[in-house]
Amino acid sequence: MQALDALKNRISHGKLQAPGPSPEQRAEIEAAALRAADHGNLRPWRYLYISGEGLQALGELYLKAALADKPELDEQQKERFLKMPLRAPCLYVAIANITEHPKVPREEQLMAAAASVQNMITAAFALGVGAYWRSGDMAFHQVVKDGLGLQATEEIVGFVYMGTPQLPNRSAPELQVPDFFQNWPN
Ligand SMILES: Cc1cc2nc3c(=O)[nH]c(=O)nc-3n(C[C@H](O)[C@H](O)[C@H](O)COP(=O)(O)O)c2cc1C
């Protein structure tokens, strides 16, 4: 797929099934992540790749986090947390590593990490790999951060689910460029 076609037409796939991306596809997606715009070339990102039994372990970590907030969860609620990461055959935990820098504030480092994730999901789309960037309460929960080994300087910017799309690509929403771009001064 041409780069511009991927950039203009990328969509997320919520319904994902096995197989996940091949080693060759993963190599392309991961290389794309590293070419995000990055003030100061700080590379303020790192990723954890989780598949197979790792997804079950992540579900158990989610449940531990949820129980820390609310010990009286019923069985159905517990099952929901355990199953949450099983939406796809694999996922990447996208992590921003924020360092003190005289010219690059925290916000810019988060933006660079987010740009890196955007590169990944666009690369995945170009390769025919389905992807879905999610966050949610678990992305911000200290129990989850600790369980995944994050340092105090690190934040989760997303869980990027990947796999084979269950549905064909839908059309990207038709947004009107002039609604978002104006000349200044008019
Ligand atoms: C930082 C970030 C976090 C997101 N978290 C969620 C989420 O937790 N749940 C969700 O349904 N969509 C989430 N999204 C949005 C989806 O990834 C997706 O972009 C959205 O559903 C629009 O679909 P599209 O990418 O096909 O246009 C998030 C997007 C971003 C940028």
Side-chain angles (χ1 to χ4, degrees):
M1 186 184 288
Q2 294 290 314
L4 280 174
D5 288 335
L7 287 165
K8 291 190 293 185
N9 296 308
R10 182 208 60 80
I11 52 140
S12 304
H13 280 279
K15 291 191 181 301
L16 297 166
Q17 62 191 6
S22 67
E24 293 75 19
Q25 288 170 325
R26 279 187 56 201
E28 298 281 38
I29 290 165
E30 292 169 12
L34 306 186
R35 282 309 307 140
D38 175 17
H39 192 178
N41 296 324
L42 299 178
R43 321 293 185 221
W45 53 67
R46 71 180 179 99
Y47 291 89
L48 302 174
Y49 174 74
I50 305 182
S51 65
E53 288 178 7
L55 294 172
Q56 282 159 29
L58 184 61
E60 282 158 22
L61 185 58
Y62 284 177
L63 178 57
K64 184 178 166 192
L67 287 170
D69 293 340
K70 201 176 170 204
E72 69 282 5
L73 290 179
D74 64 32
E75 286 309 311
Q76 202 182 344
Q77 289 167 321
K78 286 183 187 170
E79 198 65 15
R80 192 175 77 79
F81 285 104
L82 287 171
K83 288 204 169 139
M84 233 179 235
L86 308 180
R87 294 179 175 115
C90 68
L91 63 82
Y92 288 90
V93 185
I95 299 167
N97 182 18
I98 316 291
T99 48
E100 282 289 324
H101 192 283
K103 289 192 179 147
V104 188
R106 168 192 171 77
E107 289 75 11
E108 291 194 358
Q109 295 180 47
L110 281 169
M111 285 185 227
S116 166
V117 176
Q118 183 69 27
N119 272 12
M120 287 181 87
I121 61 175
T122 306
F125 180 79
L127 293 166
V129 173
Y132 204 110
W133 180 352
R134 292 180 186 274
S135 53
D137 293 346
M138 293 295 122
F140 307 107
H141 205 294
Q142 196 58 48
V143 169
V144 175
K145 291 191 204 176
D146 290 343
L148 291 172
L150 269 68
Q151 304 296 309
T153 54
E154 293 183 318
E155 303 285 347
I156 293 174
V157 294
F159 299 102
V160 188
Y161 290 78
M162 286 195 194
T164 302
Q166 284 184 27
L167 300 171
N169 287 344
R170 63 184 191 288
S171 301
E174 282 190 30
L175 300 178
Q176 301 306 313
V177 172
D179 290 344
F180 300 91
F181 287 80
Q182 292 92 35
N183 291 332
W184 187 92
N186 286 323

